[in-house]
Amino acid sequence: MNKPTDNDGGGAPVPGVKKYSRFLEFYKKEGGEKDMSSIEHSNGRWLFVTILVFFSIALSGVLSLLLGYWYFNRQLGQDRKYEVKVAVSGDPKIISGDELVYLVDYANLSGVELRDARIHIRYPAGFSLLSVLPEPTGDSSIWDLGVLSSGATGQIKIIGRILGEKDSSKTLSSVLYFVPHNFNSEFQEIGSTTGKIVGSDLSLALEIPDEMYVGEKVRGLIVYKSLRNEPLGNIKIDFENPSSFEILSSSVLLDPVENVFIIKNAVAEGEIAIEGIWGAHPGEDKQSIKLLGELGDESNFYRQSEIEKTMNVLRSDIESSLVANGSAEKSAIYPGDLLQYSLSIGNKSDALLEKIEVVFVVEGKSDFNNSHLRKDFRLLDWDVAKFNAPPLVKLLDIPKDQSFIFERRQMTWGEGEYKELAKLSPEGEIELSLSLPVTSSAAIKNLLGVDDFGRIEMESHFEVRVGKTGGKSLGQVIRSNSIRSILHSDLALDSAIRYFDENSVPIGSGPLPPEVGKETKYRVFWKLSQSFHESGTVSVRAVLPDGVSWAGNIRVGAGEMEYDFKNKVISWKINQLPSFTREISAVFDIALVPEAKHSGQILVLVPKPSIEAVDLYLKSPIERYGKTLTTNLEGDSIGQGKGIVGE
């Protein structure tokens, strides 16, 4: 069947054919005038007209807005340069802690009224509002002015107290929002003033002897004062002292972690009584103690003043030294560890010391109220404590205002407990020792009654009391240095090596026991766990010995494991471990090819790995070690004992 054309008499017309034929007809005509009316136009003309109308309307709207804006600004600028004025004035030199007065002046100098006018004040950091006139209509920073008629003026008076560090700048700004008459857009005008802090209202002084002896207690005063004789508000005093100087007591509680005093709502003048001691000679006689004073609001403190006191520190004729696990200052302890103390006493005088008594005091402290603790909570297991000379032990009462202390225990040695204390010759020394196990993680959590907990530590020191010197009664008391032993996360690594799995299926290969010149493969299992305090930047590291090589097959539950072929270092790194991490594993294979010199020996396959991390609660480093793995395959029920290299 033929398709219908334009000349066909029957059939339905084919869309587009007629139009196309008309174009052909138009172009085929020769000699005649081209008649454009013979062309049938498409509906595209109507689309073009619609778009043209739309853009015409939009352009008219934009022109109207521009004309309105031009008209308003022309009206504002007919006679004056600035038609809406906002000016803020204040003292350019500021004394931190002092009262300040700011004036915010505003005026409508235009020829039209302004609607919906409001002022928004932006206060600088450290500013405390004391009074304002007139009162704000919203919060303390917003004033709704309503309609400002032409020529209207006004003023806001702000009185406040500002805190900041010396040489810092403080800016108070004011924004006036308004809508001009017969206009819908909002405009704004900004005014501000900036002042520089040139001094502080806080004055500090430290009254303490210029000369001190190691081991002897000294008393002093920290005096704070307002130079304008007005209440100071909140004060923080940082006590920066050499590590061998210790504050024993104070009339204001000293934060033992930050080493700061905080006085809230302080009056114009006050003092803090302190008692301190040089527990050991710092190495040089000239020493300095520094105080840093800060004033604060509800959320922040700002450094104000700094003083430094220099003194002479002299050696005593009686020396005392306390060491715990090799440290004379602060040390980390872990659940299940052994805390070993050494108390040393030396006679540096020319006289005989007699009737010596040693009193050792241990205090358990936490950063939470001890009302949460069970009464039988003990961080150290005193039932299995060991002494080179058993002392007299006494539990001391805990003051009601010191709820952060959960235990206070005293041990005393006299000549009856340790006969060497009866007499100590010149240049003679006496040493007492004791070891105390740290309670296990499970026991600590059970006794605390909580799953996760904060800072727990033991603080210890001892005193030497001398009855006679050179045959004369003396009653001299010398105090040792103090040691803080802080409980860290119980992060631990369990290491194992196997040839057979738990179902007695071989997962290693090669001869067992290993043989000279032949390769034996083993599988190593590392498992990390912890039950309190989050740990960060965890790194487990081990170096393979000669004759042992990396055999791959890595599987890790978290983090990344890498092997450095050049240095033979295995490293496993994890960004963060949650408080309750029961087990995260890493598995890898190693290979051993013994040499002739190894025949008849049990060989080390993986030396004890080191564990380094950060206790994220204490923000303190963690250093632990795993166990060494050998060819003896401890823990492999079938392979254990088959570790001696054969020929």
Side-chain angles (χ1 to χ4, degrees):
M1 180 177 179
N2 295 328
K3 293 182 179 180
T5 66
D6 192 50
N7 296 322
D8 289 336
V14 178
V17 172
K18 186 174 183 180
K19 295 177 185 178
Y20 179 67
S21 301
R22 293 282 179 89
F23 273 109
L24 290 177
E25 183 180 323
F26 169 75
Y27 280 104
K28 285 179 180 178
K29 289 181 180 180
E30 294 182 1
E33 185 179 352
K34 307 307 187 280
D35 185 7
M36 298 295 293
S37 63
S38 64
I39 301 175
E40 182 178 329
H41 296 282
S42 69
N43 293 330
R45 169 181 290 178
W46 299 108
L47 177 61
F48 173 76
V49 171
T50 301
I51 293 173
L52 183 61
V53 170
F54 173 79
F55 276 105
S56 298
I57 295 172
L59 183 60
S60 299
V62 172
L63 289 173
S64 298
L65 287 173
L66 291 174
L67 286 171
Y69 181 80
W70 170 82
Y71 174 77
F72 173 71
N73 281 279
R74 182 173 177 273
Q75 287 293 105
L76 286 180
Q78 283 180 349
D79 302 313
R80 301 174 181 85
K81 185 177 181 180
Y82 299 102
E83 306 303 337
V84 179
K85 175 186 174 184
V86 179
V88 183
S89 59
D91 196 333
K93 295 182 179 180
I94 302 172
I95 301 297
S96 180
D98 207 349
E99 287 187 6
L100 289 177
V101 177
Y102 289 103
L103 297 177
V104 179
D105 292 288
Y106 58 91
N108 177 13
L109 305 179
S110 63
V112 297
E113 70 176 18
L114 308 178
R115 295 181 291 106
D116 299 330
R118 69 186 187 280
I119 284 182
H120 185 189
I121 303 294
R122 295 171 182 169
Y123 300 108
F127 182 83
S128 300
L129 185 63
L130 300 178
S131 65
V132 63
L133 190 68
E135 292 289 331
T137 51
D139 58 23
S140 60
S141 61
I142 297 176
W143 284 257
D144 289 322
L145 305 177
V147 176
L148 287 181
S149 59
S150 177
T153 63
Q155 184 183 77
I156 299 172
K157 183 178 182 180
I158 299 169
I159 301 176
R161 180 170 179 257
I162 198 164
L163 298 174
E165 296 186 5
K166 188 178 179 182
D167 296 328
S168 63
S169 296
K170 299 291 182 178
T171 299
L172 184 142
S173 62
S174 174
V175 184
L176 173 60
Y177 298 94
F178 58 92
V179 177
H181 181 65
N182 291 331
F183 211 74
N184 292 324
S185 297
E186 186 177 72
F187 292 78
Q188 67 180 37
E189 188 74 19
I190 301 175
S192 66
T193 184
T194 298
K196 184 177 181 180
I197 294 181
V198 296
S200 173
D201 182 41
L202 176 64
S203 170
L204 286 179
L206 176 61
E207 299 175 4
I208 200 166
D210 295 327
E211 195 170 84
M212 307 180 193
Y213 283 88
V214 172
E216 293 187 0
K217 297 177 182 178
V218 294
R219 290 183 173 87
L221 285 176
I222 299 172
V223 181
Y224 56 87
K225 184 178 181 180
S226 164
L227 298 179
R228 59 189 177 90
N229 200 31
E230 294 288 342
L232 286 164
N234 298 330
I235 304 175
K236 182 166 75 170
I237 299 175
D238 295 79
F239 195 89
E240 293 191 356
N241 54 288
S243 58
S244 52
F245 183 82
E246 178 188 357
I247 294 180
L248 304 177
S249 62
S250 57
S251 58
V252 173
L253 185 64
L254 176 71
D255 185 323
V257 179
E258 302 294 336
N259 215 41
V260 299
F261 298 100
I262 294 181
I263 307 104
K264 293 186 177 181
N265 302 317
V267 295
E269 185 174 355
E271 60 186 29
I272 303 171
I274 61 172
E275 185 178 56
I277 191 171
W278 291 93
H281 195 275
E284 296 183 4
D285 291 347
K286 288 285 186 183
Q287 293 295 317
S288 296
I289 293 176
K290 187 183 293 184
L291 296 181
L292 305 175
E294 302 180 27
L295 292 176
D297 50 27
E298 294 180 356
S299 56
N300 297 299
F301 280 92
Y302 302 89
R303 181 71 54 85
Q304 303 295 301
S305 58
E306 176 181 319
I307 63 167
E308 189 170 1
K309 173 78 173 183
T310 302
M311 62 210 68
N312 284 326
V313 181
L314 306 177
R315 297 180 185 274
S316 174
D317 289 338
I318 303 172
E319 290 189 349
S320 60
S321 175
L322 177 63
V323 174
N325 289 358
S327 173
E329 297 177 10
K330 183 172 66 174
S331 63
I333 56 174
Y334 301 91
D337 275 3
L338 190 64
L339 187 55
Q340 296 179 307
Y341 288 103
S342 174
L343 293 69
S344 300
I345 304 138
N347 181 5
K348 301 302 178 182
S349 70
D350 297 328
L352 179 69
L353 304 181
E354 299 179 75
K355 295 186 177 297
I356 301 170
E357 185 179 67
V358 178
V359 180
F360 181 59
V361 177
V362 178
E363 288 183 341
K365 299 180 178 181
S366 66
D367 60 0
F368 50 86
N369 193 302
N370 66 24
S371 62
H372 297 296
L373 300 177
R374 284 175 40 170
K375 292 183 178 180
D376 58 347
F377 175 74
R378 298 290 180 268
L379 181 59
L380 303 177
D381 191 347
W382 294 95
D383 294 335
V384 292
K386 294 182 179 179
F387 307 89
N388 68 338
L392 299 175
V393 181
K394 179 183 178 181
L395 284 174
L396 303 178
D397 293 334
I398 299 172
K400 292 182 179 180
D401 62 343
Q402 296 185 11
S403 60
F404 56 89
I405 297 177
F406 60 82
E407 179 183 10
R408 179 176 282 169
R409 192 176 294 253
Q410 175 181 291
M411 284 151 278
T412 305
W413 292 266
E415 57 183 297
E417 289 71 42
Y418 194 53
K419 63 180 181 179
E420 282 80 357
L421 293 173
K423 295 180 180 181
L424 183 59
S425 302
E427 300 302 322
E429 291 187 1
I430 296 173
E431 184 171 319
L432 294 165
S433 63
L434 61 150
S435 59
L436 297 161
V438 181
T439 307
S440 68
S441 295
I444 290 173
K445 293 174 69 174
N446 180 54
L447 291 170
L448 278 173
V450 293
D451 289 328
D452 200 11
F453 45 86
R455 176 185 294 268
I456 297 180
E457 64 181 66
M458 303 302 294
E459 186 173 303
S460 51
H461 71 274
F462 72 90
E463 291 184 352
V464 180
R465 300 169 183 175
V466 181
K468 289 184 178 181
T469 301
K472 297 180 180 180
S473 296
L474 180 64
Q476 186 178 8
V477 178
I478 300 296
R479 192 182 190 278
S480 76
N481 55 298
S482 291
I483 293 178
R484 293 169 56 209
S485 302
I486 304 170
L487 183 69
H488 281 57
S489 164
D490 59 346
L491 176 66
L493 177 71
D494 180 38
S495 305
I497 189 165
R498 305 180 71 95
Y499 190 94
F500 297 93
D501 67 12
E502 295 176 350
N503 298 316
S504 303
V505 177
I507 51 178
S509 62
L512 189 70
E515 298 177 5
V516 172
K518 296 181 180 179
E519 182 182 78
T520 301
K521 286 187 177 180
Y522 303 89
R523 184 154 295 171
V524 179
F525 298 84
W526 281 351
K527 296 179 182 179
L528 281 170
S529 63
Q530 70 178 4
S531 60
F532 63 89
H533 290 188
E534 290 188 5
S535 298
T537 59
V538 181
S539 174
V540 183
R541 187 175 181 273
V543 181
L544 295 181
D546 293 340
V548 180
S549 61
W550 175 257
N553 192 30
I554 302 173
R555 298 198 304 273
V556 292
E560 295 181 352
M561 176 169 278
E562 297 178 343
Y563 181 69
D564 179 350
F565 284 89
K566 181 179 179 181
N567 298 303
K568 304 189 71 174
V569 177
I570 305 168
S571 61
W572 180 22
K573 296 181 179 179
I574 303 174
N575 288 333
Q576 189 168 338
L577 282 181
S579 302
F580 309 108
T581 302
R582 291 188 176 180
E583 182 181 297
I584 292 181
S585 301
V587 181
F588 57 93
D589 292 344
I590 58 171
L592 168 69
V593 180
E595 299 178 13
K597 63 181 180 180
H598 297 141
S599 179
Q601 300 179 22
I602 293 176
L603 301 181
V604 172
L605 295 173
V606 182
K608 63 180 181 181
S610 64
I611 311 163
E612 295 182 355
V614 175
D615 187 314
L616 296 180
Y617 183 87
L618 300 174
K619 296 180 176 59
S620 179
I622 300 172
E623 294 183 5
R624 305 287 279 161
Y625 292 93
K627 65 180 179 181
T628 298
L629 303 177
T630 71
T631 54
N632 204 40
L633 303 183
E634 293 86 353
D636 187 327
S637 58
I638 298 178
Q640 185 170 339
K642 300 176 181 178
I644 299 177
V645 177
E647 296 182 356

